[in-house]
Amino acid sequence: MTLEKVSSNRVSTGSLTKYKFPSKSLGGLSTQFNIFVPSSASSSSPVPVLFYLAGLTCNEDTGAQKGGLLNTAGKEGIAVVFPDTSPRGAGVEGEEDDWQLGTGAGFYLNATAEKWKKHYNMYDLVVKELPEEIKKADLGVDFSRWSIFGHSMGGHGALSIYLKNPGLFRSASAFAPACNPSRTPWGINAFQNYLDTKTRSSPPSEWLPYDSTHLLQNYQGETNILIDVGTEDDFLKKGQLEPKAISDLNKEGVEVRLQDGFDHSYYFISTFAPEHVSYHAKFLKA
Amino acid sequence: MTLEKVSSNRVSTGSLTKYKFPSKSLGGLSTQFNIFVPSSASSSSPVPVLFYLAGLTCNEDTGAQKGGLLNTAGKEGIAVVFPDTSPRGAGVEGEEDDWQLGTGAGFYLNATAEKWKKHYNMYDLVVKELPEEIKKADLGVDFSRWSIFGHSMGGHGALSIYLKNPGLFRSASAFAPACNPSRTPWGINAFQNYLDTKTRSSPPSEWLPYDSTHLLQNYQGETNILIDVGTEDDFLKKGQLEPKAISDLNKEGVEVRLQDGFDHSYYFISTFAPEHVSYHAKFLKA
């Protein structure tokens, strides 16, 4: 048992517990996550699970505290896992200097560039190591019923992780995700730095496995994706999100909604989070 | 028009706007507040209003961001006002040194002690000046339908303000309020410092107008009060809250509930906040 309990709070119909453990994916660094588990969950009666991936500068607390989603998760009887957004304290030169790279900006990928590859493997943490740790700890969570959502950088994470792993998740959703990161500034900056890039195509082929638009284009099979973006989102206006790249693919089972007047903040997320949780519940409890 | 818009975010069925203005109650210092107004509100069709008073160390953002109450307020068609918890930058010696006194700890009273009385008048700010400013700004809010709630120090504020002003509010509620502050540590410390205290009775008579237990004991007329306290609240265990002082009065229209396993955090508040908003809506829309 490698999980160490940091804190626990009663909330909604269950408890939110913060754990830490030394992560192999993150080169042995300690990482923290929060997990909400309804009181009804047990190893003999496990509940479905929903991962929430937060955005740039956030951590494992942000969605739990500001997301406004736990009451709905509690009512639906669904566990929710909130991972951190990057390794902490890797000691990589410059990792604290830019809010768009390094600490708080792991981009849910496995780094291949020499400088970052030892620690910056949030993809493996989220997709493999966290589920293994949670299963080992016997927390009453059933990973055969698993969905994923997130915000901004975490929306990119949720969509790309869903699309890279057909059949692993029941559904994915996102608030203001970076939909086409291989062609937009946050993603280009992250991929240039984190990924060992040898090809000269535009975008380089090494980046495409983390680009949801590219992944969806080539995706076979049923998709259950819901995306909300606010029309007054400054990052939409600055070309960071590009939801049109996904809606233009006209894929069945993919809904992209523009929400009038909403911005990039947690006020936007908390307005629609109950609806997103219910969307996932529909598939998780089917 | 003295209100200056600081920011605005679409949320729920309306918008949350942060304003600042120079407050007479606070000796001319600039103060900020947030106000949520449903889109349906207008000067010809104003909506009822609910004040949320936050606790020690918090500010005008805390309840708005972590309270989980705006979706219910939006559905019910109720405005919500989030004042700050103290003056900021009064320059009183020691005001930044103790989280239980000074900045972030205004205790919703009018100071009478020489050192504090110029600036520390949060009672007047909340009860008189904020409503006047909001009315002048014509934000579509109807103060003839007004209720108040809060957390911890803000729960003390909500209950004592409600009880000091019969007929002004339709209802009051509180999460983990300091119910009997003239006899418990936070209150004693605050009242000793803020209030010019000449009487030697225990507690001194100057403190009683801010003690909800004392006020309720002497209250005539109908009361609509709901109080929730978590059984695992450390401040309950430390004797800061004393809900029993209120429940022992056995007053009609006053419900005190102990919530099993909950603590003092916003996880507790956000679990029950929708129910509190609906409780107030019942009276505000009657």
Side-chain angles (χ1 to χ4, degrees):
Chain A
M1 172 77 176
T2 51
L3 293 188
E4 184 183 332
K5 193 184 285 192
V6 177
S7 62
S8 189
N9 301 85
R10 270 284 276 135
V11 62
S12 178
T13 66
S15 291
L16 185 83
T17 306
K18 184 180 291 199
Y19 292 102
K20 65 177 178 182
F21 69 98
S23 163
K24 286 184 207 115
S25 312
L26 307 186
L29 289 173
S30 178
T31 189
Q32 301 196 143
F33 69 96
N34 280 299
I35 179 167
F36 167 75
V37 182
S39 304
S40 61
S42 67
S43 40
S44 61
S45 180
V47 296
V49 58
L50 179 59
F51 272 38
Y52 177 84
L53 305 184
L56 289 165
T57 77
C58 295
N59 61 31
E60 73 278 10
D61 290 332
T62 319
Q65 293 180 349
K66 298 182 177 177
L69 56 92
L70 293 176
N71 282 348
T72 310
K75 271 177 216 144
E76 296 281 7
I78 293 170
V80 188
V81 173
F82 302 88
D84 201 352
T85 56
S86 76
R88 304 274 162 183
V92 177
E93 192 202 340
E95 79 181 335
E96 306 290 345
D97 300 348
D98 181 356
W99 64 281
Q100 298 162 107
L101 193 75
T103 299
F107 275 86
Y108 304 102
L109 51 71
N110 289 335
T112 50
E114 199 53 40
K115 184 176 168 183
W116 304 96
K117 71 182 187 188
K118 181 176 175 192
H119 300 104
Y120 278 73
N121 300 301
M122 291 299 291
Y123 178 87
D124 276 354
L125 176 76
V126 168
V127 177
K128 297 172 189 165
E129 197 174 5
L130 268 177
E132 279 164 23
E133 291 292 335
I134 292 168
K135 282 180 208 166
K136 271 197 290 180
D138 202 14
L139 301 178
V141 168
D142 174 9
F143 276 94
S144 75
R145 292 174 290 163
W146 186 12
S147 290
I148 190 163
F149 69 154
H151 171 231
S152 196
M153 173 184 77
H156 140 73
L159 297 177
S160 60
I161 284 172
Y162 172 82
L163 293 165
K164 275 168 76 73
N165 296 281
L168 193 58
F169 299 90
R170 299 269 178 109
S171 51
S173 78
F175 307 98
C179 293
N180 196 185
S182 71
R183 295 181 183 276
T184 51
W186 279 333
I188 292 171
N189 180 53
F191 296 166
Q192 271 174 345
N193 281 279
Y194 291 134
L195 301 177
D196 185 29
T197 305
K198 295 212 161 60
T199 60
R200 287 164 170 274
S201 49
S202 176
S205 58
E206 291 89 343
W207 301 3
L208 297 178
Y210 296 110
D211 186 299
S212 297
T213 298
H214 172 80
L215 291 166
L216 184 59
Q217 212 157 14
N218 298 283
Y219 194 87
Q220 305 295 331
E222 187 190 328
T223 49
N224 300 312
I225 292 178
L226 173 65
I227 296 172
D228 275 321
V229 184
T231 59
E232 294 304 310
D233 186 322
D234 280 341
F235 297 114
L236 174 67
K237 297 176 185 175
K238 286 174 183 160
Q240 292 280 18
L241 310 181
E242 298 297 323
K244 201 170 173 299
I246 281 188
S247 55
D248 279 356
L249 298 178
N250 284 312
K251 287 273 187 173
E252 205 182 334
V254 179
E255 188 173 10
V256 179
R257 309 187 301 190
L258 290 176
Q259 299 291 359
D260 191 42
F262 285 87
D263 59 29
H264 202 71
S265 72
Y266 269 80
Y267 293 119
F268 161 56
I269 298 174
S270 64
T271 299
F272 296 99
E275 197 178 331
H276 279 235
V277 173
S278 297
Y279 172 81
H280 293 295
K282 194 176 61 185
F283 300 107
L284 290 169
K285 295 158 73 176
Chain B
M1 172 77 177
T2 51
L3 294 187
E4 184 184 332
K5 194 184 285 191
V6 177
S7 62
S8 190
N9 300 85
R10 270 285 275 135
V11 62
S12 178
T13 65
S15 291
L16 185 83
T17 306
K18 184 181 292 199
Y19 292 101
K20 65 177 179 181
F21 68 100
S23 163
K24 285 184 206 112
S25 313
L26 308 186
L29 290 172
S30 178
T31 190
Q32 302 197 142
F33 69 95
N34 280 300
I35 180 169
F36 167 74
V37 182
S39 304
S40 61
S42 67
S43 40
S44 60
S45 181
V47 296
V49 58
L50 179 58
F51 271 38
Y52 177 85
L53 305 184
L56 290 165
T57 77
C58 295
N59 61 31
E60 74 278 9
D61 290 332
T62 319
Q65 293 179 349
K66 298 182 177 176
L69 56 91
L70 294 175
N71 282 348
T72 310
K75 272 178 215 143
E76 296 280 9
I78 292 170
V80 187
V81 174
F82 303 88
D84 202 351
T85 57
S86 77
R88 304 273 161 182
V92 177
E93 191 203 338
E95 77 180 337
E96 306 290 344
D97 299 348
D98 181 356
W99 65 280
Q100 298 164 107
L101 193 75
T103 300
F107 275 85
Y108 305 103
L109 51 72
N110 289 336
T112 51
E114 200 53 40
K115 186 176 168 183
W116 303 97
K117 70 181 187 185
K118 182 176 175 192
H119 301 105
Y120 278 74
N121 300 301
M122 290 300 291
Y123 177 87
D124 275 354
L125 177 76
V126 168
V127 177
K128 296 171 188 167
E129 197 174 5
L130 267 179
E132 279 164 23
E133 291 292 334
I134 293 167
K135 283 179 207 166
K136 272 196 292 179
D138 203 14
L139 301 179
V141 168
D142 174 9
F143 276 93
S144 75
R145 292 174 289 163
W146 186 12
S147 291
I148 190 163
F149 68 154
H151 172 230
S152 195
M153 173 185 75
H156 140 72
L159 297 177
S160 60
I161 284 172
Y162 172 81
L163 292 165
K164 275 169 76 74
N165 296 281
L168 193 58
F169 299 90
R170 300 268 177 110
S171 50
S173 77
F175 307 99
C179 293
N180 197 184
S182 72
R183 296 183 183 274
T184 51
W186 280 333
I188 292 172
N189 180 53
F191 296 166
Q192 271 175 345
N193 281 279
Y194 291 135
L195 300 177
D196 185 29
T197 305
K198 297 214 161 56
T199 60
R200 285 163 172 274
S201 50
S202 176
S205 59
E206 292 90 343
W207 301 4
L208 297 178
Y210 296 111
D211 187 298
S212 297
T213 298
H214 172 80
L215 291 166
L216 184 59
Q217 211 157 14
N218 297 283
Y219 194 88
Q220 305 294 330
E222 187 191 327
T223 48
N224 301 311
I225 292 178
L226 173 64
I227 296 172
D228 276 320
V229 184
T231 59
E232 294 304 310
D233 186 321
D234 280 340
F235 295 114
L236 174 67
K237 297 176 186 177
K238 286 175 183 159
Q240 292 280 18
L241 310 180
E242 297 297 323
K244 200 168 173 301
I246 282 188
S247 55
D248 279 355
L249 298 177
N250 284 313
K251 288 273 187 173
E252 205 182 331
V254 178
E255 188 173 9
V256 179
R257 307 187 302 190
L258 290 177
Q259 300 290 0
D260 191 43
F262 285 87
D263 59 29
H264 203 71
S265 72
Y266 269 80
Y267 293 120
F268 162 56
I269 298 173
S270 64
T271 299
F272 296 98
E275 196 179 333
H276 279 235
V277 173
S278 297
Y279 172 81
H280 294 295
K282 194 176 61 186
F283 301 106
L284 290 169
K285 295 159 75 177

